[in-house]
Amino acid sequence: MDALTRSAWTDASYKHALKMLHDRSGIIVGEHKMKSSERLLEGLRKEFGFVTIDDFLMALDKDRDHTGWPAFINSFTINHTAFFREPHHFEILAQHIEKLRTNCAIWCASCSTGEEPYSIAMVLNEIVGEQAACPRIVATDIDSQAIKRAKAGVYSLDRLTGISEERLRRHFLKGNNQFEGMAKVKPALSARVEFSELNLMSFSWPKPAMFDVIFCRNTMIYFDHDTQVRLVASFARSMKPGGLLFIGHSETLASTTDQFTLLGQTVYKRNHR
Ligand SMILES: C[S@@+](CC[C@H](N)C(=O)[O-])C[C@H]1O[C@@H](n2cnc3c(N)ncnc32)[C@H](O)[C@@H]1O
């Protein structure tokens, strides 16, 4: 890193970057990440051809449509996920789908690289059958790179350890030759999921009272309380009464809403009023 860029990275620059990130995405990054943030932003500075990181930040600040925005946001997202993460949720989901069958509209609101919505799709296909006509699972995330990987549906075999042998055979194609050690979701599974980029903070969401199920797991932990309150109110508007909201094991809706009732194991039911 040259002297010019190093001298440009100050406490004030860091606070500026974090405020821009928060205003745009809701994400809060801890104060201790100053050094790693500098490394990330230094890479972007070079990629987008600016002299200092501050110049890059100013360019983003001035133009909401600047091509550097997605890369800036992607640098700070944490995409950790897994197939059938928190497996008890998928048992509760299966019981709900059993009741609604092909009428079950599902939104996976922070789908990362696809493991979560494809897990949901496996459960759905196993209950209603691969040929059944039902609404596609809406799967969204702010991170453009994660969505690209999700759409590709290709995973290394060590990512598939949470999946039973039977499910692997039914829903995945194992690669060979240059794809040795990889597997791809079968067309019947990918056909069930519609991926797109969506910033939850834009609140330009699907129609009101549309969903029977929303998954938004391990994402609200990155937002402050006010943002969580707004988000949960919007989820409530997007759900049908009696619908289920799944959140992460370390998250809670306590003190954010009176529109949901806790069923247990971080699963909430949308109230009927
Ligand atoms: C830790 S991952 C959780 C993935 C998955 N839901 C799970 O539990 O395995 C958090 C995801 O939230 C996404 N995210 C963060 N802020 C977001 C926002 N404002 N809008 C949409 N997605 C967001 C990130 O890009 C990331 O993929």
Side-chain angles (χ1 to χ4, degrees):
M1 199 177 298
D2 58 49
L4 183 59
T5 53
R6 198 164 40 242
S7 66
W9 186 242
T10 60
D11 234 32
S13 310
Y14 183 48
K15 289 206 170 99
H16 183 205
L18 295 195
K19 183 176 181 319
M20 286 168 58
L21 178 72
H22 176 256
D23 290 350
R24 185 79 178 237
S25 70
I27 297 171
I28 293 175
V29 173
E31 298 278 321
H32 59 287
K33 297 230 169 130
M34 185 163 172
K35 208 69 229 143
S36 56
S37 303
E38 181 183 16
R39 273 195 302 277
L40 293 170
L41 291 175
E42 174 57 14
L44 296 185
R45 172 195 79 73
K46 280 193 191 134
E47 186 182 333
F48 288 91
F50 288 92
V51 176
T52 67
I53 294 175
D54 273 341
D55 291 343
F56 174 59
L57 294 177
M58 256 172 339
L60 297 194
D61 229 0
K62 274 198 213 124
D63 179 5
R64 277 190 74 77
D65 299 321
H66 194 285
T67 51
W69 265 111
F72 173 74
I73 296 207
N74 295 353
S75 301
F76 289 99
T77 54
I78 293 169
N79 301 122
H80 178 73
T81 187
F83 285 99
F84 294 99
R85 185 179 191 184
E86 300 174 49
H88 51 274
H89 279 171
F90 294 89
E91 287 161 28
I92 298 166
L93 172 71
Q95 288 161 15
H96 202 60
I97 295 176
E98 287 281 7
K99 280 189 258 160
L100 296 170
R101 309 291 305 177
T102 53
N103 284 325
C104 194
I106 304 172
W107 179 19
C108 182
S110 55
C111 67
S112 188
T113 43
E115 288 86 337
E116 189 177 62
Y118 288 131
S119 302
I120 298 170
M122 284 183 242
V123 173
L124 180 67
N125 274 3
E126 287 162 14
I127 293 172
V128 300
E130 285 167 2
Q131 305 305 324
C134 57
R136 293 177 84 195
I137 298 159
V138 177
T140 61
D141 199 285
I142 195 172
D143 186 323
S144 54
Q145 281 303 324
I147 287 290
K148 219 167 154 181
R149 287 174 56 196
K151 278 183 182 163
V154 176
Y155 300 93
S156 62
L157 295 182
D158 58 7
R159 303 280 307 149
L160 307 182
T161 46
I163 307 178
S164 67
E165 268 306 314
E166 192 199 336
R167 277 189 165 144
L168 275 181
R169 271 196 303 277
R170 181 163 175 184
H171 301 291
F172 289 83
L173 293 161
K174 282 200 183 161
N176 41 41
N177 300 324
Q178 79 262 42
F179 298 110
E180 193 70 51
M182 312 288 282
K184 188 173 176 23
V185 297
K186 285 189 179 173
L189 199 64
S190 53
R192 279 282 183 238
V193 190
E194 186 178 347
F195 288 103
S196 58
E197 278 173 50
L198 179 91
N199 179 358
L200 289 170
M201 297 304 115
S202 70
F203 295 97
S204 58
W205 285 7
K207 284 184 249 141
M210 186 169 171
F211 294 106
D212 301 286
V213 171
I214 295 180
F215 272 63
C216 184
R217 304 189 306 165
N218 307 300
T219 302
M220 281 195 291
I221 33 166
Y222 301 107
F223 301 152
D224 59 27
H225 184 256
D226 286 354
T227 306
Q228 291 178 5
V229 170
R230 281 178 66 209
L231 192 59
V232 171
S234 300
F235 284 144
R237 271 194 296 282
S238 299
M239 291 188 86
K240 295 178 195 163
L244 300 186
L245 174 62
F246 294 78
I247 63 173
H249 64 281
S250 59
E251 298 166 328
T252 175
L253 297 194
S255 82
T256 61
T257 181
D258 57 4
Q259 291 173 298
F260 290 91
T261 302
L262 178 63
L263 298 181
Q265 298 183 298
T266 56
V267 183
Y268 290 80
K269 188 173 188 167
R270 173 75 170 92
N271 296 337
H272 281 262
R273 52 178 171 74

